[in-house]
Amino acid sequence: MERNGRQARDQSKTGYCIRGRIWVEGVEGTFLGYGRVVLLQRIRQYGSITEAAKSMQMSYRHAWELVASMNRQSGVPLVESSTGGKAGGGTRLTEAGEKATEAFWALHKRFEEFLMQEDKRTAF
Amino acid sequence: MERNGRQARDQSKTGYCIRGRIWVEGVEGTFLGYGRVVLLQRIRQYGSITEAAKSMQMSYRHAWELVASMNRQSGVPLVESSTGGKAGGGTRLTEAGEKATEAFWALHKRFEEFLMQEDKRTAF
């Protein structure tokens, strides 16, 4: 399931709403964040970095750099490209890519639960 | 105690480090965030929006707008200015301002605990 980082909660009932963002840092800085994870999911969907980037109104160069950054920082590549062969090559999400995507959304879900609890708990 | 939003944790031991930011939204958008809360604490310290802004390398205009935004969104003003009188006026943090500041750092502390738990729990 693809989602974005915006919480669906609303401040209109309680007066205030606690919001936030999370991301995962690796040795180079950001390893995974909302934009990167959506990019991975679009690569799985389209089988192409070019098409994935286009669907996100992102330049191919930027998408390629994000993928390279994730692949370098992960022990195992999250995205693999094959060139040539009968099908003329292609790009796919690896099993490690699938797992990273799932782990990120699971983390995001627990973060949303934390924010909801805090909304109930904290008075400003 | 004044702190900033940067977590002291480090990705060098576990490979990855989960990071994040939180803020509180009100009816106009942001009500409290790291910069706003530090500004409140500096206003308490200096008794002056001008001096507080200077200490944060922030323009007076921007600081004044942040204070006005917080005061408008809070039921009770967080910062009060008095003009004239023997002391020539002054600016102070109200009790509601103190409470908002404390509540924000308490929330931040629980958020840091959440991030630390997730660092241990989540594998990417």
Side-chain angles (χ1 to χ4, degrees):
Chain A
M1 182 176 38
E2 184 176 299
R3 290 182 286 184
N4 63 42
R6 190 94 184 148
Q7 276 80 46
R9 291 165 303 109
D10 178 357
Q11 52 67 40
S12 61
K13 282 166 199 144
T14 58
Y16 299 113
C17 178
I18 301 167
R19 292 191 183 273
R21 291 181 67 77
I22 44 168
W23 62 91
V24 184
E25 291 200 357
V27 286
E28 294 180 14
T30 305
F31 167 57
L32 288 178
Y34 297 102
R36 287 170 183 236
V37 168
V38 170
L39 177 63
L40 292 178
Q41 291 176 296
R42 296 288 174 96
I43 288 170
R44 179 181 53 198
Q45 185 182 343
Y46 292 105
S48 151
I49 294 177
T50 306
E51 291 304 315
K54 202 182 286 177
S55 79
M56 295 177 74
Q57 291 162 309
M58 186 185 280
S59 73
Y60 172 78
R61 185 191 168 86
H62 186 54
W64 189 90
E65 283 170 352
L66 293 179
V67 168
S69 161
M70 289 187 272
N71 278 351
R72 271 196 311 271
Q73 291 184 83
S74 172
V76 188
L78 304 188
V79 171
E80 260 177 3
S81 290
S82 56
T83 51
K86 275 185 185 167
T91 300
R92 67 180 202 89
L93 201 58
T94 64
E95 203 183 314
E98 293 284 354
K99 279 187 181 162
T101 303
E102 278 166 30
F104 186 83
W105 288 126
L107 166 65
H108 172 72
K109 195 180 166 198
R110 291 191 297 273
F111 179 48
E112 280 192 316
E113 284 159 8
F114 168 83
L115 293 174
M116 272 191 288
Q117 278 175 7
E118 290 294 334
D119 263 346
K120 288 179 201 158
R121 170 181 191 161
T122 309
F124 286 98
Chain B
M1 181 177 38
E2 185 177 296
R3 292 181 285 184
N4 64 41
R6 189 95 185 148
Q7 276 79 46
R9 292 165 303 109
D10 178 359
Q11 52 68 38
S12 62
K13 282 166 197 144
T14 58
Y16 300 112
C17 179
I18 301 166
R19 292 191 183 273
R21 290 182 69 76
I22 44 169
W23 62 92
V24 184
E25 291 199 359
V27 286
E28 293 180 14
T30 304
F31 167 58
L32 288 179
Y34 297 102
R36 287 169 183 238
V37 169
V38 170
L39 177 62
L40 292 179
Q41 291 176 297
R42 297 287 174 95
I43 288 169
R44 179 180 53 198
Q45 184 182 344
Y46 293 105
S48 151
I49 295 178
T50 306
E51 292 304 315
K54 202 182 286 179
S55 79
M56 294 177 74
Q57 291 163 309
M58 187 185 278
S59 73
Y60 172 76
R61 186 191 167 86
H62 185 54
W64 189 90
E65 284 171 351
L66 293 179
V67 168
S69 161
M70 289 186 274
N71 278 352
R72 272 195 311 271
Q73 292 184 82
S74 172
V76 187
L78 305 188
V79 171
E80 260 177 5
S81 290
S82 57
T83 52
K86 276 188 182 164
T91 300
R92 67 180 203 89
L93 201 58
T94 64
E95 202 183 315
E98 293 285 353
K99 279 188 181 161
T101 303
E102 278 166 30
F104 186 83
W105 289 125
L107 167 65
H108 172 72
K109 195 182 166 197
R110 292 191 296 274
F111 179 47
E112 280 192 315
E113 283 159 8
F114 169 83
L115 292 174
M116 272 191 289
Q117 279 175 6
E118 290 295 334
D119 264 345
K120 289 177 199 158
R121 171 181 190 161
T122 309
F124 286 97

